[in-house]
Amino acid sequence: MLELKKVAVSGTLESSDVQIVLEPNPGKGIQIDLESDVKLQFGDSILETVKKTLKKMEVEDAVVRINDKGAIDCTIVARLQTAVCRAAGIRYDWNKEALNASR
Amino acid sequence: MTCNAVGREIPEKIGQYECRPFAGAFATQPSGKPVVSKRTMKLVKPGDSKLLPTLKDAIKAAGLKDGMTISFHHCFREGDMIIGQVLTAIRELGIKGLRFAPSAVINIKNPSIVDFVKDGTIDRIEASGIRGQLGDAVLDGLMDTPVILRPHGARPRAIEAGELQIDVAFIGASSADDEGNATGLVGPNACGSMGYAFVDSRCARQVVVITDNLVDYPCVPASITQSYVDWVVRVDQIGDSEKIGKGAARVTKNPRDLLIAERAAKVIAASRLFKEGYSFQTGAGAISIACTNFLANETAEAGIKASFSLGGCTAAIIDMFKRGLLRTVQCSQSFDAVAARAIAEDPNIVEIDNEVYSNMYNKGCMANRLNFGILGALEVDTDFNVNILTGSSGEMMGGLGGGPDVAAGADVSIVTIPVVRGRTPSIVDKVFTVCTPGESVAVVVTEAGIALNPKHRFYKELKEDLEKTTLKLVSIEDLHKIAIGITGVPKPIETTDKIACIVEFRDGTVIDVIRQIKK
Amino acid sequence: MPAAKQHLFRTSLYASGASPVNMQQAVFYNEDCIVYDMEDSVPQSEKDAARFMIYNMLREHRPLEKHVQIRVNGLYTPYFAEDMQAAVLCRPDAIRVPKVESAEEVHKICARLDELEKAYGVEQGSIKIWCLIESHIGVLNAREIAGASERVEALVLGAEDFTASMHATRTKPGWEVFYARNMVLMGCRAEGKACIDVVFSDINDLEGLKEDARMTKTMGFDGKTTIHPRQVDTVNAMLTPTQKEIRYAMRVLDAIREGEKNNKGAVSLDGNMLDVPVMLRARNVMALAKAAGLKIEGDYYDM
């Protein structure tokens, strides 16, 4: 399990971006707080994406506050990956990515 | 329930309203009956005075009672202060249950129309679009009677067909005299063409002219003539000078919008109809204005001159006129101060009645002579139907404007739209609300490519002309795939069965309905 | 001499790794090369974020018809190592490396690329390098940089930093970069590599851009970097063969074909000998025309 050590922010409030604030939540699981310009149409999809990404990065306890300005899926993933690394204080192991590459 | 010609389910009756389902852009004939007007003959003798001291006096003199219909024009755009003042006066007089029928979108915030509905002053609305707070409230079930939305050409039609009979028309004017000769062409708060007010002046039972600039008799020019006016009131302010007198509408700097605008101009320039004496309508959106500028350059390069531009007029169109590239400007509405003042300055820049521009049930409207029309849209679907009313979450955002009229009349109707806006796909499977039927739409121009409608009457010629260029032609299905590929598939918006708005086509048939959003 | 290129390099447009909307919209313009940027357009605090943005964006939404490039941070910055990892995983057509000054630096970069391609299962040698020449040392070493490796596909002259390194002032006529342009171009031609000209920074001056692009073409550059979408079409048009040039090239190729048919040793056209350089230039014009999607009658494209 990847432990989050501090609060971290990533992304911006620019159109088509998403700002994510990640907080440690020791022992209490994943708690997601979603604000989105497109909540009705994509709210469920965004929650799925966030849960899937956190699982892949082995984060089990976190408070995730999302302020979405219409970011597409890959942007949400990227901002979340950034926030996780910042909150956990780690450098991302890109070598692992190579094993997951879908080509 | 029947399925109309664009595949939408329309009930037989909605409350008291009997639905005639949309059957095709030119499929439905008028009744053949004489036009209806509530204007009566009147005797006005030398020495009689129409000038009243306050709005309340005029409302009383006009005999406004509970349940009647009142109307306003929208030529003062965001700067209008007349609607608010008149409704406040009406409320203070305790008059209730009125049908409110402005000529276009109402977006006034202070005072809010919602309050007038909530306190019972207004209980029915007929317009071309409703936005913001009012739009949200209507979709939330504010009104017992559904709002009726009509494109520009359908309003004079409905009035003359007797479907929308106006008891009191309140006509704001930039300048007026004490007999009611009135205009928007001159005055400190000149709004420009009053094209949307003419039908009200002819057909309402009582007409009240309101101005903050009372001039010596007679007012010249007289867009609205005294022979149609019952009462005149002078108020301190008819509008916010800042918002009315805004300079030339700003040209967009957004490179994506400029790309789309330039592409649309290239589509026009490639068409065989782009020759000496061609005609066009571009409209007021950011892309439209940019398109006018690109079109002017194409026209200059081709060494030709357009015969007329139609509809709403902007500084960009006046600029094209001044460059000698456009013979006349037929103006039903002025979108900025430059366009507003230009009419009084040149005999070839002309104020026209909205019904001359767009009404399909008169002896011929000018939209029929358009070669090219540029249309904005919120959504387009794979059948080329256009939605210019509701946004991605089902919220009321736009207004019908003259889109359906221009699309039906023009040889080459071009919808300019980005494939996505934020995370909202603009090219969809089925639009949330059909406003303009696909059969009227010839081309869709986006940053991702250009799609031609194989079912449009001009398809074969357009395809031939465009294949000679390097412009990228794709299918509408491909544009849809590109849009969804970027955003993902959105969850469909759920609605209840309650109908909040009826969307009429040019001929008064029902092209779609807007139901309440499920919470 | 290199064979006619598969890909056109007339225009390059940067898309900032710090801006999702910028990257999303950049794919719709007509630039030949799109450069996803991790360097100058990304603030220091966001270098990590940019890597994730570019990686995810290219995985899901890679533009199919463009030459895809990634500009990493410089060799001596703390970001270079991770930038390269993320970049190679994206499998771009090329990686742009800023501030290259010597062949030795190119060798270091190539060694890193060899390792990463192997580790990540990417076809060896498939990712090319575009070297940004941004200083006087870089200009002086242009030829050796161009020839330092097979991987080096192009040199790109960066005027702003170069002018600063020279204590010169950047002007529209551009005399202060004239020698540098020639020097870098000659180095590229000597080593058979492509060469990309400097940006024109006044985005509101389209006439000035046309003039500068005309210089780009006349001098023989393969392309020019643009800094705003509205510059793209103007530069593309300037660097695409004109109808006149195409017609001449067709006549040259016709004459050569005739000569071959009749077994003539030497061929001439309009009183000029059609030797190898002329023929190659004609073939190059047709290749450019073909790549630009121009429709031509006849089978000149296969000559």
Side-chain angles (χ1 to χ4, degrees):
Chain A
M1 181 181 103
L2 181 59
E3 204 189 303
L4 302 185
K5 302 219 171 78
K6 58 179 176 152
V7 178
V9 187
S10 71
T12 72
L13 296 172
E14 198 188 69
S15 171
S16 296
D17 202 349
V18 56
Q19 191 171 75
I20 299 184
V21 180
L22 217 53
E23 278 177 39
N25 199 24
K28 298 213 206 117
I30 308 284
Q31 184 193 319
I32 305 175
D33 186 11
L34 173 63
E35 277 304 313
S36 170
D37 280 357
V38 288
K39 199 163 179 182
L40 274 181
Q41 309 93 295
F42 291 107
D44 289 344
S45 155
I46 295 171
L47 291 173
E48 268 311 297
T49 300
V50 170
K51 285 183 196 153
K52 206 165 71 173
T53 308
L54 288 174
K55 189 160 179 219
K56 210 164 157 204
M57 298 186 85
E58 294 171 29
V59 174
E60 286 168 28
D61 297 321
V63 176
V64 192
R65 292 187 215 284
I66 305 172
N67 193 344
D68 170 50
K69 299 292 180 193
I72 59 177
D73 225 42
C74 66
T75 304
I76 298 173
V77 172
R79 293 326 197 182
L80 191 51
Q81 287 176 322
T82 308
V84 167
C85 291
R86 288 177 180 177
I90 58 165
R91 276 178 183 252
Y92 191 65
D93 185 0
W94 288 98
N95 292 321
K96 268 213 292 224
E97 223 21 62
L99 303 169
N100 297 333
S102 54
R103 281 171 213 271
Chain B
M1 280 287 193
T2 38
C3 209
N4 70 9
V6 282
R8 298 289 150 131
E9 294 270 303
I10 310 292
E12 275 175 32
K13 234 177 158 189
I14 304 170
Q16 302 287 37
Y17 181 100
E18 289 200 22
C19 299
R20 288 167 294 151
F22 172 73
F26 294 99
T28 304
Q29 289 285 330
S31 65
K33 299 194 191 116
V35 300
V36 172
S37 173
K38 291 204 80 155
R39 177 162 53 90
T40 55
M41 286 188 270
K42 191 174 182 178
L43 177 61
V44 174
K45 302 185 304 296
D48 286 350
S49 171
K50 298 178 187 176
L51 192 60
L52 294 174
T54 69
L55 285 175
K56 280 198 188 136
D57 293 317
I59 293 163
K60 280 193 271 194
L64 187 65
K65 304 257 184 301
D66 288 357
M68 286 190 170
T69 298
I70 55 174
S71 78
F72 302 84
H73 67 74
H74 66 283
C75 309
F76 290 103
R77 304 180 292 281
E78 271 91 55
D80 184 287
M81 285 167 73
I82 290 185
I83 296 177
Q85 290 180 67
V86 171
L87 288 177
T88 305
I90 288 175
R91 173 203 271 154
E92 283 168 14
L93 287 172
I95 302 173
K96 299 234 178 277
L98 298 175
R99 176 165 59 167
F100 176 54
S103 60
V105 182
I106 27 177
N107 194 23
I108 60 165
K109 289 175 189 126
N110 184 21
S112 162
I113 303 283
V114 180
D115 296 332
F116 291 106
V117 175
K118 285 194 171 144
D119 69 20
T121 308
I122 293 173
D123 68 5
R124 288 152 292 156
I125 299 178
E126 300 188 15
S128 79
I130 48 176
R131 280 204 273 253
Q133 216 192 3
L134 178 60
D136 291 341
V138 165
L139 284 181
D140 214 11
L142 176 69
M143 318 279 301
D144 290 327
T145 314
V147 172
I148 298 177
L149 297 177
R150 301 186 174 97
H152 284 327
R155 188 172 181 272
R157 180 210 63 78
I159 291 170
E160 290 188 340
E163 293 159 24
L164 173 59
Q165 297 186 50
I166 300 167
D167 293 287
V168 187
F170 295 94
I171 300 183
S174 313
S175 301
D177 61 33
D178 58 3
E179 287 282 348
N181 293 304
T183 186
L185 302 181
V186 296
N189 290 326
C191 66
S193 172
M194 276 179 35
Y196 297 87
F198 294 116
V199 66
D200 301 60
S201 72
R202 283 196 302 275
C203 299
R205 192 176 53 76
Q206 291 271 306
V207 175
V208 178
V209 162
I210 305 168
T211 188
D212 57 6
N213 181 39
L214 202 60
V215 299
D216 290 337
Y217 183 83
C219 172
V220 167
S223 306
I224 305 282
T225 54
Q226 64 185 66
S227 53
Y228 290 139
V229 178
D230 294 277
W231 310 106
V232 180
V233 180
R234 199 201 147 280
V235 298
D236 287 332
Q237 234 191 328
I238 51 167
D240 183 338
S241 311
E242 270 286 300
K243 293 188 181 152
I244 299 170
K246 251 193 324 201
R250 198 185 56 87
V251 185
T252 182
K253 285 203 163 74
N254 181 327
R256 179 200 66 188
D257 289 348
L258 287 172
L259 173 68
I260 295 171
E262 193 176 21
R263 231 170 231 181
K266 288 200 174 117
V267 169
I268 292 177
S271 161
R272 65 191 63 183
L273 295 176
F274 184 66
K275 52 187 202 264
E276 180 68 22
Y278 80 89
S279 62
F280 71 94
Q281 169 151 0
T282 42
I287 296 182
S288 296
I289 293 172
C291 191
T292 306
N293 290 326
F294 286 119
L295 185 59
N297 292 337
E298 295 279 358
T299 309
E301 261 185 58
I304 59 178
K305 193 169 181 171
S307 56
F308 71 93
S309 75
L310 186 61
C313 183
T314 56
I317 290 179
I318 302 299
D319 193 60
M320 189 174 171
F321 174 83
K322 289 200 168 130
R323 283 171 68 181
L325 304 166
L326 176 57
R327 183 163 62 84
T328 77
V329 180
Q330 306 285 326
C331 182
S332 64
Q333 184 179 175
S334 311
F335 286 121
D336 54 45
V338 171
R341 296 193 184 279
I343 297 175
E345 287 162 13
D346 193 301
N348 287 309
I349 303 177
V350 175
E351 175 183 43
I352 58 168
D353 185 333
N354 166 45
E355 75 113 20
V356 172
Y357 147 42
S358 57
N359 183 358
M360 74 179 277
Y361 278 173
N362 58 21
K363 312 278 170 100
C365 66
M366 294 188 80
N368 289 346
R369 294 293 291 251
L370 279 174
N371 294 130
F372 307 105
I374 302 282
L375 312 163
L378 290 169
E379 292 181 318
V380 179
D381 65 27
T382 48
D383 292 317
F384 290 87
N385 296 314
V386 172
N387 174 8
I388 187 66
L389 270 181
T390 47
S392 59
S393 311
E395 74 276 27
M396 302 283 285
M397 279 182 62
L400 289 167
D405 305 303
V406 170
D411 295 313
V412 181
S413 47
I414 302 171
V415 173
T416 50
I417 192 170
V419 282
V420 301
R421 286 186 174 101
R423 198 180 178 175
T424 300
S426 320
I427 316 289
V428 296
D429 198 33
K430 286 204 177 329
V431 289
F432 188 64
T433 310
V434 179
C435 304
T436 301
E439 66 176 279
S440 297
V441 177
V443 190
V444 173
V445 174
T446 71
E447 73 276 47
I450 299 165
L452 299 181
N453 182 359
K455 299 208 175 112
H456 189 264
R457 63 184 187 276
F458 213 64
Y459 173 68
K460 186 164 153 286
E461 290 86 346
L462 266 174
K463 186 156 181 272
E464 270 175 37
D465 294 341
L466 289 179
E467 276 174 349
K468 295 189 187 133
T469 68
T470 53
L471 290 167
K472 197 162 69 157
L473 293 179
V474 298
S475 71
I476 190 80
E477 288 82 11
D478 282 342
L479 285 180
H480 179 223
K481 280 203 195 101
I482 291 171
I484 297 293
I486 294 170
T487 64
V489 180
K491 209 159 79 158
I493 304 159
E494 281 183 21
T495 60
T496 70
D497 284 328
K498 179 147 185 261
I499 292 172
C501 293
I502 298 168
V503 182
E504 282 188 9
F505 186 63
R506 306 175 77 198
D507 53 12
T509 58
V510 179
I511 192 164
D512 208 344
V513 294
I514 303 176
R515 295 183 172 84
Q516 257 181 260
I517 311 287
K518 210 181 252 187
K519 279 290 148 84
Chain C
M1 286 288 268
K5 293 176 187 46
Q6 296 277 57
H7 227 289
L8 285 173
F9 299 141
R10 297 167 302 178
T11 40
S12 304
L13 188 65
Y14 280 92
S16 170
S19 171
V21 68
N22 193 220
M23 284 190 281
Q24 277 176 241
Q25 293 194 357
V27 303
F28 293 119
Y29 306 108
N30 295 321
E31 73 277 14
D32 292 328
C33 313
I34 181 169
V35 186
Y36 294 84
D37 190 27
M38 296 175 172
E39 202 224 4
D40 277 356
S41 67
V42 178
Q44 286 198 19
S45 59
E46 296 299 312
K47 298 290 188 191
D48 58 342
R51 261 173 239 132
F52 284 116
M53 255 329 307
I54 292 173
Y55 175 68
N56 281 287
M57 185 64 75
L58 279 177
R59 273 191 81 171
E60 300 299 316
H61 303 290
R62 186 191 180 114
L64 297 171
E65 288 163 18
K66 297 198 188 303
H67 195 258
V68 172
Q69 303 180 10
I70 298 175
R71 179 168 71 172
V72 297
N73 287 281
L75 183 57
Y76 305 114
T77 65
Y79 316 112
F80 180 76
E82 285 170 85
D83 284 354
M84 286 296 279
Q85 285 181 308
V88 172
L89 282 168
C90 293
R91 289 161 161 82
D93 294 307
I95 292 180
R96 263 193 207 205
V97 187
K99 303 173 173 63
V100 176
E101 292 194 322
S102 68
E104 192 194 332
E105 289 178 355
V106 175
H107 296 145
K108 283 198 188 127
I109 298 163
C110 286
R112 195 72 191 106
L113 269 175
D114 289 339
E115 275 173 24
L116 289 170
E117 275 177 347
K118 189 150 178 226
Y120 297 161
V122 177
E123 185 194 326
Q124 289 280 287
S126 60
I127 298 177
K128 304 284 182 258
I129 303 176
W130 284 41
C131 301
L132 275 114
I133 308 298
E134 300 181 87
S135 71
H136 50 299
I137 303 291
V139 171
L140 289 167
N141 291 336
R143 186 180 179 176
E144 72 167 48
I145 293 169
S149 163
E150 285 273 297
R151 279 194 193 269
V152 174
E153 187 173 41
L155 259 50
V156 183
L157 180 55
E160 313 304 316
D161 288 314
F162 166 76
T163 336
S165 79
M166 294 285 284
H167 303 179
T169 312
R170 188 79 181 93
T171 67
K172 276 186 190 177
W175 284 105
E176 70 284 351
V177 295
F178 185 64
Y179 180 76
R181 275 165 136 167
N182 278 288
M183 183 94 172
V184 176
L185 192 48
M186 275 197 283
C188 289
R189 292 294 171 249
E191 299 297 330
K193 304 295 167 85
C195 196
I196 308 296
D197 195 15
V198 299
V199 307
F200 183 82
S201 16
D202 187 351
I203 60 174
N204 294 314
D205 182 3
L206 278 181
E207 278 308 309
L209 172 66
K210 245 193 196 154
E211 278 312 302
D212 199 33
R214 191 164 296 143
M215 174 72 95
T216 303
K217 171 170 177 150
T218 321
M219 291 183 72
F221 283 97
D222 300 284
K224 194 176 186 59
T225 304
T226 56
I227 50 163
H228 192 275
R230 70 153 77 144
Q231 294 187 325
V232 172
D233 288 343
T234 303
V235 177
N236 274 344
M238 191 59 76
L239 297 180
T240 305
T242 61
Q243 284 302 313
K244 194 168 163 198
E245 287 165 339
I246 292 170
R247 275 199 296 276
Y248 182 73
M250 283 161 69
R251 290 181 62 219
V252 166
L253 294 172
D254 276 340
I256 290 170
R257 212 180 349 212
E258 266 305 300
E260 277 171 0
K261 239 200 321 204
N262 303 334
N263 269 313
K264 274 214 205 132
V267 192
S268 76
L269 180 68
D270 297 342
N272 296 320
M273 285 294 291
L274 295 186
D275 50 11
V276 172
V278 177
M279 181 191 70
L280 286 172
R281 193 179 309 138
R283 279 223 195 113
N284 202 38
V285 166
M286 296 314 290
L288 278 174
K290 179 183 183 185
L294 300 179
K295 299 181 172 72
I296 311 272
E297 298 275 314
D299 62 350
Y300 299 96
Y301 283 156
D302 300 318
M303 289 190 69

